[in-house]
Amino acid sequence: MNLILSITDQGNRLTVVFVQVDVFRQRITGEAENLVASFFPNKLLELDHFLKSVCVVGHRLQDPILNICELKEIHSEINLTVPDPILLSNLHDGLEAQNAKKRKMEDGTSEDKVAGTKVFIMPSGMMKSNTKLVDLIEKVKPEIRTLIEKCNTVKMWVQLLIPRIEDGNNFGVSIQEETVAELRTVEGEAASYLDQISGYYITRAKLVSKIAKYPHVEDYRRTVTEIDEKKYISLKVIVSELRNQYVTLYDMILKNIDKIKKPRSSNAEALY
């Protein structure tokens, strides 16, 4: 009797689990079909409009914009003044220079090293980032995250539609697998865009530290400007790629929607 009750309870629990899994499948299906039918085309038009925003002469990037007139509009001033030069006099008739040379020979190093300026605190407080680029990055990052999340949902939907493995009649299944592979590729590329953004901050921080240590070297200051311009162009390319990926996914899924939903027309009962 106890054994029968145990088997019955186990069967009830399995039934509840199957129902919950079926509800999950239905929710994923509804979300994915809405993404393909509505979200993807609307988002690609939104990104295309963002890319083609026309700048106004004299515009100072009060709003993030990807079509400025001149790159100098995204430049950021580096408020690190050049200190006055310090004149050193030899008060020991060359003894210091001789001792320094002797110590250098004992150490076995003959390379001249420039120590630079010791930095204990920034004269104007914390060195700010390029606020114009930060505003633009903060607008682009959510778009990257959205693409990753939506691709993951659609990918799960297509994977759930793949039928069990059988001999023959697998043309529709190959289309499903190709779609999943494309969605996975888009996810990986979008994730790499986030790595590029963090890499920009690290590179710029190192250059600004160099400027603080070697304030007399103009090339470091120019390099920061070049890095900012390069990042601006990179952000524009990223938004363009996001738009193109939405277009590609929308076109690919729409053209093959019948095979994706029903890969084996003669064996509909084989679907999970």
Side-chain angles (χ1 to χ4, degrees):
M1 184 66 178
N2 292 333
L3 179 60
I4 295 175
L5 291 175
S6 176
I7 294 175
T8 303
D9 291 340
Q10 184 176 4
N12 292 335
R13 286 195 296 269
L14 289 175
T15 301
V16 171
V17 171
F18 290 151
V19 171
Q20 292 175 343
V21 171
D22 189 60
V23 171
F24 171 76
R25 288 167 52 86
Q26 292 178 7
R27 177 172 62 85
I28 291 294
T29 299
E31 291 179 4
E33 289 180 350
N34 179 67
L35 288 174
V36 174
S38 177
F39 183 84
F40 280 12
N42 289 329
K43 179 57 71 171
L44 71 88
L45 294 176
E46 177 185 332
L47 292 175
D48 187 64
H49 176 73
F50 182 42
L51 278 169
K52 295 180 179 179
S53 299
V54 180
C55 79
V56 179
V57 177
H59 185 69
R60 288 297 177 266
L61 287 183
Q62 295 177 355
D63 296 318
I65 190 170
L66 280 175
N67 199 19
I68 62 175
C69 299
E70 297 181 4
L71 286 176
K72 67 180 182 181
E73 293 187 31
I74 54 96
H75 292 176
S76 178
E77 184 179 358
I78 301 175
N79 296 320
L80 289 176
T81 58
V82 178
D84 297 330
I86 301 174
L87 299 177
L88 299 178
S89 59
N90 191 345
L91 303 178
H92 300 283
D93 297 329
L95 293 178
E96 287 294 331
Q98 294 177 4
N99 291 335
K101 183 176 181 181
K102 182 178 180 181
R103 286 195 300 270
K104 183 167 60 176
M105 293 178 63
E106 290 175 352
D107 293 341
T109 58
S110 58
E111 182 182 358
D112 293 334
K113 295 183 179 180
V114 181
T117 304
K118 292 184 178 180
V119 181
F120 298 99
I121 189 172
M122 292 292 184
S124 57
M126 183 177 67
M127 187 66 191
K128 297 290 185 179
S129 303
N130 187 327
T131 56
K132 301 166 187 176
L133 280 178
V134 169
D135 291 342
L136 194 54
I137 287 172
E138 291 305 313
K139 184 172 178 62
V140 173
K141 280 174 63 178
E143 299 294 346
I144 299 174
R145 186 189 66 186
T146 298
L147 177 62
I148 294 174
E149 293 175 351
K150 303 309 181 186
C151 280
N152 185 268
T153 300
V154 177
K155 182 181 68 176
M156 177 60 65
W157 169 59
V158 177
Q159 286 176 324
L160 290 174
L161 290 173
I162 296 177
R164 64 188 180 191
I165 300 174
E166 292 183 357
D167 292 333
N169 198 18
N170 288 320
F171 179 71
V173 178
S174 66
I175 293 177
Q176 289 176 322
E177 292 174 346
E178 189 70 25
T179 304
V180 170
E182 181 66 23
L183 288 163
R184 188 176 289 114
T185 300
V186 170
E187 276 186 295
E189 291 179 358
S192 69
Y193 300 151
L194 297 176
D195 294 334
Q196 294 178 22
I197 292 174
S198 59
Y200 158 72
Y201 284 127
I202 293 173
T203 302
R204 195 176 193 278
K206 290 180 180 179
L207 285 171
V208 172
S209 300
K210 287 286 189 181
I211 295 173
K213 190 173 183 180
Y214 304 103
H216 297 85
V217 181
E218 183 183 2
D219 287 341
Y220 283 131
R221 297 175 184 264
R222 290 187 176 275
T223 304
V224 170
T225 300
E226 293 294 330
I227 288 292
D228 288 345
E229 292 181 357
K230 178 182 176 182
K231 190 63 208 173
Y232 173 81
I233 296 172
S234 174
L235 287 171
K236 188 170 183 178
V237 172
I238 287 175
V239 175
S240 178
E241 285 297 319
L242 294 177
R243 178 202 59 187
N244 296 344
Q245 286 163 344
Y246 277 117
V247 173
T248 302
L249 292 176
Y250 176 70
D251 183 68
M252 180 180 187
I253 296 174
L254 198 64
K255 287 178 178 177
N256 300 283
I257 190 65
D258 293 334
K259 285 294 184 182
I260 290 174
K261 286 187 174 182
K262 199 173 182 181
R264 291 172 179 158
S265 57
S266 61
N267 294 318
E269 68 278 3
L271 292 176
Y272 284 119

